[in-house]
Amino acid sequence: MTVETATSISMLSATLPLATGPISEGDDHLRLIKSVLQTQFTSLGTSAVTATATELNLIDGYTGTTAELNYLDLTTLGTSEDSKVVTQDASGDIVIGSTAGDQTMDIACHDLVDGGLKLAGTLVTASATELNLIDGYTGTTAELNYNDVTTLGTVEASKAVTAASTTATVNFADKILQRPEIKDYSETKIGVAAAATVDLDMTSANVFTVTADQDTTFTFSNPSPTGRSCAFTLIWTQDSSDRTITWPTEVDWAGGSAPDVTSGSGKIDVYTFFTIDEGTIWYGFQAGADMLTPS
């Protein structure tokens, strides 16, 4: 028979040598098999191959490289290493870097479309710039919550004082402003249209002006609560018909009676009022009668 030739296991024929062939050719086949095995397995040396077929077959279909297989060559489960896969330890913990601050984990996306980092099941949508706003913050969570105001511009207990977003107004909502030193301040003044009945609302101003065009009955509304002083000023400008004023019955005038209204077109009278019992009694004073209009 003809002795086969081969340089790899796949070239060996399972049907050779024939049982009827010469013994010498069988000897040649043995030498051929030895040569093929030594050619194919050049690095086995004296070590025994103990892997089972099932274990060897784990790499069946593997398309990567030896270097990529070595990504699995870890020192410690659960601790990240350069050029190695990230694993968790038996407790489910993952340490990024063996020393604090020596590794970087870059989350490529953080939105609802692409997915991203979740903490306890909640997607983190804040950007790095937004998260870094608290870099260097030395306070507590409770102190951060001082900023959790209900309405911008309205003072609340245990909250930061803010100004309204459009008017920059700060509404103290009857809260106490203690021990301020006030410089260059003003009071709100509004002109109230003349009418048969005019209400002076303490929440709208502290100084009111009225230019008369008819007899007027005044009412006062929304003073501060009992136990707090609430005061305002009224500037009345007379017209040529000498209009009269009817004051609220709650006004207690200095001397026991309301002062006369100055007659004459353009004449100006100034009145001041204050209460300490939420308007049960208003103490009234004519601060100035027949005031001259500045020339």
Side-chain angles (χ1 to χ4, degrees), residues 49-278:
V49 177
T50 60
T52 65
T54 299
E55 292 168 337
L56 291 173
N57 285 337
L58 292 176
I59 59 173
D60 183 24
Y62 176 68
T63 60
T65 64
T66 302
E68 291 167 340
L69 273 179
N70 283 331
Y71 294 164
L72 296 168
D73 184 17
L74 303 169
T75 303
T76 305
L77 278 174
T79 299
S80 68
E81 302 174 50
D82 293 345
S83 301
K84 303 297 180 182
V85 296
V86 177
T87 59
Q88 65 182 34
D89 63 17
S91 299
D93 297 326
I94 300 174
V95 177
I96 304 300
S98 57
T99 304
D102 68 352
Q103 301 291 336
T104 299
M105 183 169 63
D106 188 357
I107 303 299
C109 56
H110 63 280
D111 56 53
L112 295 176
V113 176
D114 297 321
L117 175 66
K118 285 187 176 182
L119 299 177
T122 300
L123 183 69
V124 177
T125 59
S127 67
T129 299
E130 293 166 336
L131 291 174
N132 284 337
L133 292 177
I134 58 173
D135 182 26
Y137 175 67
T138 59
T140 64
T141 300
E143 291 167 340
L144 272 179
N145 283 332
Y146 294 162
N147 290 316
D148 183 19
V149 298
T150 303
T151 304
L152 279 174
T154 300
V155 172
E156 303 173 54
S158 300
K159 301 297 180 184
V161 176
T162 60
S165 59
T166 55
T167 63
T169 299
V170 179
N171 180 2
F172 273 82
D174 293 327
K175 305 297 192 302
I176 296 174
L177 175 63
Q178 187 170 338
R179 298 184 66 180
E181 178 180 342
I182 300 175
K183 181 179 181 180
D184 190 19
Y185 76 97
S186 62
E187 295 181 322
T188 301
K189 184 270 294 182
I190 61 172
V192 182
T197 301
V198 172
D199 180 60
L200 303 180
D201 185 351
M202 301 302 104
T203 63
S204 60
N206 295 98
V207 178
F208 302 90
T209 63
V210 176
T211 299
D213 65 5
Q214 57 191 294
D215 294 342
T216 300
T217 296
F218 283 105
T219 59
F220 306 157
S221 63
N222 294 317
S224 300
T226 296
R228 303 179 185 179
S229 177
C230 176
F232 72 94
T233 299
L234 170 65
I235 301 173
W236 167 273
T237 301
Q238 186 62 277
D239 75 355
S240 58
S241 297
D242 286 346
R243 307 299 182 176
T244 62
I245 297 176
T246 300
W247 300 103
T249 57
E250 295 84 6
V251 177
D252 186 356
W253 291 99
S257 60
D260 294 330
V261 181
T262 303
S263 64
S265 178
K267 298 294 185 177
I268 297 174
D269 291 335
V270 178
Y271 304 88
T272 61
F273 304 88
F274 76 93
T275 179
I276 57 173
D277 54 13
E278 201 171 359

